[in-house]
Amino acid sequence: MKGFLFGILAVILILAVGLVFALLGFVNMRADNPPSRLEAAIAGRASDASVMRAATKVANPVAADETNLVAGARLYREHCTLCHGDPVHPKAPLSDSLNPPAPQFMDDKADMPEHQNFFILQHGIRWTAMPGWKNVLSDQQLWQLVTFLSHMSELPPAAKQVFSEPAAQGQLASGSH
């Protein structure tokens, strides 16, 4: 019994020392400093587990037709390319500036189920640059983005063409993730 109590006290002491260490500013929070392997592993697994647990299992109501894929491509171009890249610029302009790094979807396809991608688009991911878009985009637009992400490797020519069109004035300044 003494060993069990000692173990509990040791864990509490370790956690307290870690908390004091963090609160005194010894944890480096710079975005230009890559996370440690341990931090990346824990944060990645915790984020994935949180999304799996919280995302409601709903079917995508948006058909993967040309109209929705073009709409999704436009939304992606307007809001996502700065961090995630696009077919014309596979490496995003901010790809080397984000820690944790944002997925580069041209090389690392979105592989989560659609309902989980919808949840992430709605709510964002804390401690990353990924914002929640539910106050900016409608559910229909979010599902169009999800549909686009799910079909990036098989886009119709009209959706691919979106990335060759000049962006409307102010689009890139107004939305950038």
Side-chain angles (χ1 to χ4, degrees):
M1 184 67 169
K2 286 183 183 181
F4 178 73
L5 291 175
F6 178 74
I8 290 175
L9 289 175
V11 169
I12 291 171
L13 180 63
I14 290 169
L15 291 173
V17 169
L19 179 61
V20 168
F21 186 80
L23 292 176
L24 290 176
F26 289 105
V27 175
N28 190 342
M29 297 299 288
R30 291 176 30 189
D32 61 350
N33 187 28
S36 69
R37 284 187 187 151
L38 178 63
E39 180 184 356
I42 290 171
R45 287 191 178 109
S47 178
D48 288 348
S50 175
V51 170
M52 281 190 274
R53 180 181 175 96
T56 305
K57 291 184 180 174
V58 295
N60 183 344
V62 171
D65 59 27
E66 186 169 324
T67 301
N68 285 318
L69 290 170
V70 168
R74 286 198 173 105
L75 289 164
Y76 184 88
R77 182 188 67 188
E78 293 168 15
H79 300 287
C80 308
T81 58
L82 191 60
C83 297
H84 297 289
D86 66 51
V88 176
H89 305 95
K91 186 174 179 182
L94 291 181
S95 65
D96 292 331
S97 299
L98 299 171
N99 280 308
Q104 300 300 293
F105 290 134
M106 300 307 112
D107 297 326
D108 183 17
K109 303 292 184 223
D111 59 359
M112 296 178 99
E114 288 187 324
H115 71 280
Q116 291 180 13
N117 284 328
F118 181 77
F119 180 86
I120 290 170
L121 288 169
Q122 271 188 316
H123 302 287
I125 300 177
R126 187 181 299 207
W127 294 88
T128 73
M130 182 64 194
W133 289 100
K134 69 180 178 181
N135 295 327
V136 178
L137 301 174
S138 68
D139 281 357
Q140 173 74 12
Q141 290 172 312
L142 293 174
W143 280 116
Q144 286 172 327
L145 272 169
V146 167
T147 302
F148 171 80
L149 288 170
S150 296
H151 295 85
M152 287 175 86
S153 60
E154 54 200 47
L155 294 174
K160 290 178 184 176
Q161 180 63 33
V162 167
F163 297 98
S164 300
E165 298 170 356
Q169 190 73 356
Q171 275 182 340
L172 294 177
S174 66
S176 58
H177 191 89

